[in-house]
mmCIF file of all heavy atoms in Angstrom:
data_model
loop_
_atom_site.group_PDB
_atom_site.id
_atom_site.type_symbol
_atom_site.label_atom_id
_atom_site.label_comp_id
_atom_site.label_asym_id
_atom_site.label_seq_id
_atom_site.Cartn_x
_atom_site.Cartn_y
_atom_site.Cartn_z
ATOM 1 N N LEU A 1 0.919 -1.231 -0.015
ATOM 2 C CA LEU A 1 0.051 0.076 0.004
ATOM 3 C C LEU A 1 0.788 1.254 0.085
ATOM 4 O O LEU A 1 0.568 2.240 -0.730
ATOM 5 C CB LEU A 1 -0.887 0.008 1.203
ATOM 6 C CG LEU A 1 -1.875 1.143 1.277
ATOM 7 C CD1 LEU A 1 -2.807 1.267 0.082
ATOM 8 C CD2 LEU A 1 -2.738 1.130 2.604
ATOM 9 N N ASP A 2 1.879 1.270 0.798
ATOM 10 C CA ASP A 2 2.741 2.471 0.844
ATOM 11 C C ASP A 2 3.468 2.814 -0.386
ATOM 12 O O ASP A 2 3.431 3.900 -0.873
ATOM 13 C CB ASP A 2 3.855 2.338 1.915
ATOM 14 C CG ASP A 2 3.331 2.446 3.364
ATOM 15 O OD1 ASP A 2 2.149 3.054 3.655
ATOM 16 O OD2 ASP A 2 3.885 1.920 4.346
ATOM 17 N N ASP A 3 3.903 1.806 -1.033
ATOM 18 C CA ASP A 3 4.555 1.892 -2.395
ATOM 19 C C ASP A 3 3.455 2.296 -3.497
ATOM 20 O O ASP A 3 3.760 3.195 -4.273
ATOM 21 C CB ASP A 3 5.249 0.728 -2.805
ATOM 22 C CG ASP A 3 6.541 0.493 -2.141
ATOM 23 O OD1 ASP A 3 7.132 1.398 -1.380
ATOM 24 O OD2 ASP A 3 6.981 -0.745 -2.005
ATOM 25 N N SER A 4 2.262 1.842 -3.341
ATOM 26 C CA SER A 4 1.148 2.149 -4.257
ATOM 27 C C SER A 4 0.876 3.663 -4.206
ATOM 28 O O SER A 4 0.667 4.409 -5.148
ATOM 29 C CB SER A 4 -0.031 1.281 -3.978
ATOM 30 O OG SER A 4 0.132 0.023 -4.209
ATOM 31 N N ILE A 5 0.773 4.081 -2.939
ATOM 32 C CA ILE A 5 0.448 5.511 -2.586
ATOM 33 C C ILE A 5 1.449 6.382 -3.286
ATOM 34 O O ILE A 5 1.242 7.273 -3.790
ATOM 35 C CB ILE A 5 0.244 5.696 -1.171
ATOM 36 C CG1 ILE A 5 -1.121 5.024 -0.775
ATOM 37 C CG2 ILE A 5 0.142 7.220 -0.930
ATOM 38 C CD1 ILE A 5 -1.340 5.027 0.743
ATOM 39 N N LYS A 6 2.784 5.985 -2.931
ATOM 40 C CA LYS A 6 3.915 6.777 -3.530
ATOM 41 C C LYS A 6 3.916 6.757 -4.947
ATOM 42 O O LYS A 6 4.147 7.936 -5.646
ATOM 43 C CB LYS A 6 5.304 6.284 -2.882
ATOM 44 C CG LYS A 6 5.480 6.613 -1.507
ATOM 45 C CD LYS A 6 6.790 6.005 -1.025
ATOM 46 C CE LYS A 6 6.894 6.138 0.561
ATOM 47 N NZ LYS A 6 8.046 5.421 1.075
ATOM 48 N N SER A 7 3.702 5.694 -5.481
ATOM 49 C CA SER A 7 3.647 5.602 -7.088
ATOM 50 C C SER A 7 2.528 6.438 -7.622
ATOM 51 O O SER A 7 2.630 7.154 -8.564
ATOM 52 C CB SER A 7 3.580 4.134 -7.520
ATOM 53 O OG SER A 7 4.625 3.376 -7.177
ATOM 54 N N PHE A 8 1.345 6.347 -6.973
ATOM 55 C CA PHE A 8 0.255 7.100 -7.474
ATOM 56 C C PHE A 8 0.437 8.568 -7.279
ATOM 57 O O PHE A 8 0.168 9.305 -8.269
ATOM 58 C CB PHE A 8 -0.916 6.727 -6.590
ATOM 59 C CG PHE A 8 -2.273 7.564 -6.965
ATOM 60 C CD1 PHE A 8 -2.981 7.254 -8.035
ATOM 61 C CD2 PHE A 8 -2.705 8.609 -6.172
ATOM 62 C CE1 PHE A 8 -4.151 7.909 -8.382
ATOM 63 C CE2 PHE A 8 -3.788 9.418 -6.516
ATOM 64 C CZ PHE A 8 -4.492 9.079 -7.581
ATOM 65 N N GLU A 9 1.029 9.052 -6.254
ATOM 66 C CA GLU A 9 1.406 10.465 -6.114
ATOM 67 C C GLU A 9 2.420 10.938 -7.162
ATOM 68 O O GLU A 9 2.275 12.041 -7.779
ATOM 69 C CB GLU A 9 1.900 10.789 -4.747
ATOM 70 C CG GLU A 9 0.867 10.695 -3.620
ATOM 71 C CD GLU A 9 1.507 10.605 -2.227
ATOM 72 O OE1 GLU A 9 2.636 10.502 -2.006
ATOM 73 O OE2 GLU A 9 0.600 10.941 -1.323
ATOM 74 N N GLU A 10 3.403 10.139 -7.304
ATOM 75 C CA GLU A 10 4.405 10.424 -8.426
ATOM 76 C C GLU A 10 3.648 10.453 -9.835
ATOM 77 O O GLU A 10 3.854 11.315 -10.667
ATOM 78 C CB GLU A 10 5.497 9.367 -8.527
ATOM 79 C CG GLU A 10 6.579 9.716 -9.645
ATOM 80 C CD GLU A 10 7.617 8.638 -9.681
ATOM 81 O OE1 GLU A 10 7.633 7.645 -8.923
ATOM 82 O OE2 GLU A 10 8.502 8.863 -10.395
ATOM 83 N N GLY A 11 2.807 9.591 -10.011
ATOM 84 C CA GLY A 11 1.892 9.570 -11.392
ATOM 85 C C GLY A 11 1.091 10.839 -11.501
ATOM 86 O O GLY A 11 1.096 11.430 -12.565
ATOM 87 N N VAL A 12 0.587 11.252 -10.327
ATOM 88 C CA VAL A 12 -0.310 12.412 -10.522
ATOM 89 C C VAL A 12 0.621 13.693 -10.800
ATOM 90 O O VAL A 12 0.243 14.553 -11.643
ATOM 91 C CB VAL A 12 -0.955 12.651 -9.109
ATOM 92 C CG1 VAL A 12 -1.696 14.067 -9.066
ATOM 93 C CG2 VAL A 12 -2.096 11.624 -8.878
ATOM 94 N N MET A 13 1.832 13.759 -10.114
ATOM 95 C CA MET A 13 2.730 14.829 -10.572
ATOM 96 C C MET A 13 3.137 14.728 -12.012
ATOM 97 O O MET A 13 3.176 15.862 -12.651
ATOM 98 C CB MET A 13 3.941 14.795 -9.563
ATOM 99 C CG MET A 13 3.561 15.255 -8.226
ATOM 100 S SD MET A 13 5.051 15.365 -7.044
ATOM 101 C CE MET A 13 6.394 14.543 -7.763
ATOM 102 N N LEU A 14 3.367 13.557 -12.490
ATOM 103 C CA LEU A 14 3.822 13.408 -13.900
ATOM 104 C C LEU A 14 2.660 13.875 -14.823
ATOM 105 O O LEU A 14 2.986 14.551 -15.887
ATOM 106 C CB LEU A 14 4.293 12.034 -14.135
ATOM 107 C CG LEU A 14 5.669 11.634 -13.534
ATOM 108 C CD1 LEU A 14 5.776 10.105 -13.599
ATOM 109 C CD2 LEU A 14 6.717 12.351 -14.340
ATOM 110 N N VAL A 15 1.510 13.601 -14.462
ATOM 111 C CA VAL A 15 0.306 13.932 -15.399
ATOM 112 C C VAL A 15 0.216 15.370 -15.381
ATOM 113 O O VAL A 15 -0.114 15.991 -16.438
ATOM 114 C CB VAL A 15 -1.031 13.276 -14.858
ATOM 115 C CG1 VAL A 15 -2.225 13.864 -15.363
ATOM 116 C CG2 VAL A 15 -0.977 11.690 -15.105
ATOM 117 N N LYS A 16 0.319 16.085 -14.221
ATOM 118 C CA LYS A 16 0.210 17.450 -14.203
ATOM 119 C C LYS A 16 1.457 18.169 -14.998
ATOM 120 O O LYS A 16 1.109 19.081 -15.761
ATOM 121 C CB LYS A 16 0.316 18.022 -12.682
ATOM 122 C CG LYS A 16 -0.964 17.683 -11.950
ATOM 123 C CD LYS A 16 -0.898 18.213 -10.508
ATOM 124 C CE LYS A 16 -2.123 17.935 -9.768
ATOM 125 N NZ LYS A 16 -2.122 18.272 -8.367
ATOM 126 N N GLU A 17 2.553 17.597 -14.928
ATOM 127 C CA GLU A 17 3.551 18.118 -15.690
ATOM 128 C C GLU A 17 3.415 17.881 -17.141
ATOM 129 O O GLU A 17 3.708 18.858 -17.912
ATOM 130 C CB GLU A 17 4.872 17.504 -15.280
ATOM 131 C CG GLU A 17 6.213 18.024 -15.929
ATOM 132 C CD GLU A 17 6.393 19.583 -15.820
ATOM 133 O OE1 GLU A 17 6.030 20.116 -14.685
ATOM 134 O OE2 GLU A 17 6.963 20.146 -16.766
ATOM 135 N N CYS A 18 2.942 16.783 -17.579
ATOM 136 C CA CYS A 18 2.648 16.481 -19.048
ATOM 137 C C CYS A 18 1.520 17.530 -19.476
ATOM 138 O O CYS A 18 1.627 17.916 -20.630
ATOM 139 C CB CYS A 18 2.286 15.126 -19.249
ATOM 140 S SG CYS A 18 3.590 13.887 -19.067
ATOM 141 N N GLN A 19 0.462 17.694 -18.693
ATOM 142 C CA GLN A 19 -0.594 18.573 -18.999
ATOM 143 C C GLN A 19 -0.016 20.095 -19.226
ATOM 144 O O GLN A 19 -0.452 20.774 -20.182
ATOM 145 C CB GLN A 19 -1.735 18.384 -18.068
ATOM 146 C CG GLN A 19 -2.616 17.263 -18.101
ATOM 147 C CD GLN A 19 -3.579 17.211 -17.017
ATOM 148 O OE1 GLN A 19 -3.403 17.751 -15.947
ATOM 149 N NE2 GLN A 19 -4.709 16.375 -17.258
ATOM 150 N N LYS A 20 0.726 20.405 -18.396
ATOM 151 C CA LYS A 20 1.405 21.732 -18.397
ATOM 152 C C LYS A 20 2.213 22.037 -19.805
ATOM 153 O O LYS A 20 2.101 22.962 -20.414
ATOM 154 C CB LYS A 20 2.305 22.029 -17.110
ATOM 155 C CG LYS A 20 2.953 23.325 -17.263
ATOM 156 C CD LYS A 20 3.889 23.431 -15.999
ATOM 157 C CE LYS A 20 4.686 24.712 -16.171
ATOM 158 N NZ LYS A 20 5.826 24.811 -15.231
ATOM 159 N N GLN A 21 2.955 20.954 -20.055
ATOM 160 C CA GLN A 21 3.793 21.009 -21.188
ATOM 161 C C GLN A 21 2.892 21.022 -22.483
ATOM 162 O O GLN A 21 3.232 21.752 -23.478
ATOM 163 C CB GLN A 21 4.794 19.879 -21.315
ATOM 164 C CG GLN A 21 5.881 19.965 -20.272
ATOM 165 C CD GLN A 21 6.825 18.825 -20.185
ATOM 166 O OE1 GLN A 21 6.735 17.860 -21.025
ATOM 167 N NE2 GLN A 21 7.789 18.828 -19.272
ATOM 168 N N LEU A 22 1.914 20.167 -22.556
ATOM 169 C CA LEU A 22 1.032 20.220 -23.573
ATOM 170 C C LEU A 22 0.216 21.555 -23.911
ATOM 171 O O LEU A 22 -0.084 22.048 -24.925
ATOM 172 C CB LEU A 22 -0.061 19.082 -23.503
ATOM 173 C CG LEU A 22 0.474 17.652 -23.638
ATOM 174 C CD1 LEU A 22 -0.614 16.558 -23.340
ATOM 175 C CD2 LEU A 22 1.002 17.482 -25.170
ATOM 176 N N SER A 23 -0.166 22.086 -22.649
ATOM 177 C CA SER A 23 -0.860 23.433 -22.613
ATOM 178 C C SER A 23 0.038 24.583 -23.219
ATOM 179 O O SER A 23 -0.285 25.263 -24.127
ATOM 180 C CB SER A 23 -1.383 23.845 -21.420
ATOM 181 O OG SER A 23 -2.363 22.923 -20.838
ATOM 182 N N GLU A 24 1.376 24.503 -22.766
ATOM 183 C CA GLU A 24 2.329 25.403 -23.304
ATOM 184 C C GLU A 24 2.553 25.209 -24.810
ATOM 185 O O GLU A 24 2.690 26.196 -25.624
ATOM 186 C CB GLU A 24 3.636 25.222 -22.619
ATOM 187 C CG GLU A 24 3.604 25.713 -21.118
ATOM 188 C CD GLU A 24 4.786 25.492 -20.253
ATOM 189 O OE1 GLU A 24 5.690 24.746 -20.741
ATOM 190 O OE2 GLU A 24 4.838 25.818 -19.054
ATOM 191 N N ALA A 25 2.645 23.949 -25.332
ATOM 192 C CA ALA A 25 2.760 23.791 -26.680
ATOM 193 C C ALA A 25 1.652 24.183 -27.484
ATOM 194 O O ALA A 25 1.803 24.927 -28.582
ATOM 195 C CB ALA A 25 3.056 22.236 -26.854
ATOM 196 N N GLU A 26 0.411 23.998 -26.877
ATOM 197 C CA GLU A 26 -0.802 24.378 -27.664
ATOM 198 C C GLU A 26 -0.834 25.894 -27.717
ATOM 199 O O GLU A 26 -1.223 26.443 -28.700
ATOM 200 C CB GLU A 26 -2.022 23.918 -26.860
ATOM 201 C CG GLU A 26 -3.358 24.265 -27.582
ATOM 202 C CD GLU A 26 -4.593 23.667 -26.783
ATOM 203 O OE1 GLU A 26 -4.404 23.185 -25.671
ATOM 204 O OE2 GLU A 26 -5.569 23.712 -27.280
ATOM 205 N N LEU A 27 -0.414 26.514 -26.771
ATOM 206 C CA LEU A 27 -0.361 27.975 -26.706
ATOM 207 C C LEU A 27 0.559 28.588 -27.842
ATOM 208 O O LEU A 27 0.337 29.535 -28.534
ATOM 209 C CB LEU A 27 0.016 28.602 -25.335
ATOM 210 C CG LEU A 27 -0.040 30.034 -25.177
ATOM 211 C CD1 LEU A 27 -1.386 30.660 -25.419
ATOM 212 C CD2 LEU A 27 0.459 30.441 -23.768
ATOM 213 N N LYS A 28 1.778 27.997 -27.963
ATOM 214 C CA LYS A 28 2.689 28.349 -28.837
ATOM 215 C C LYS A 28 2.105 28.171 -30.227
ATOM 216 O O LYS A 28 2.294 29.027 -31.042
ATOM 217 C CB LYS A 28 4.027 27.519 -28.687
ATOM 218 C CG LYS A 28 4.864 27.933 -27.560
ATOM 219 C CD LYS A 28 6.162 27.117 -27.468
ATOM 220 C CE LYS A 28 6.964 27.514 -26.265
ATOM 221 N NZ LYS A 28 8.177 26.622 -26.097
ATOM 222 N N VAL A 29 1.490 27.179 -30.589
ATOM 223 C CA VAL A 29 0.966 26.806 -31.769
ATOM 224 C C VAL A 29 -0.116 27.780 -32.152
ATOM 225 O O VAL A 29 -0.221 28.344 -33.245
ATOM 226 C CB VAL A 29 0.371 25.389 -31.946
ATOM 227 C CG1 VAL A 29 -0.434 25.122 -33.170
ATOM 228 C CG2 VAL A 29 1.612 24.553 -31.889
#
């Protein structure tokens, strides 16, 4: 469970970072 929670939290941070980068790319275009 502890590793699952840590992995989930890392995944959420990665999703947010990817969304940010996609939004920035969309804005540039």
Side-chain angles (χ1 to χ4, degrees):
L1 182 60
D2 287 337
D3 288 338
S4 293
I5 292 170
K6 288 177 186 175
S7 294
F8 178 80
E9 289 172 344
E10 182 181 2
V12 168
M13 288 185 349
L14 288 167
V15 166
K16 287 180 181 180
E17 182 60 31
C18 287
Q19 287 175 332
K20 178 183 171 193
Q21 290 176 4
L22 287 173
S23 293
E24 289 171 357
E26 183 179 9
L27 183 61
K28 284 181 183 179
V29 169

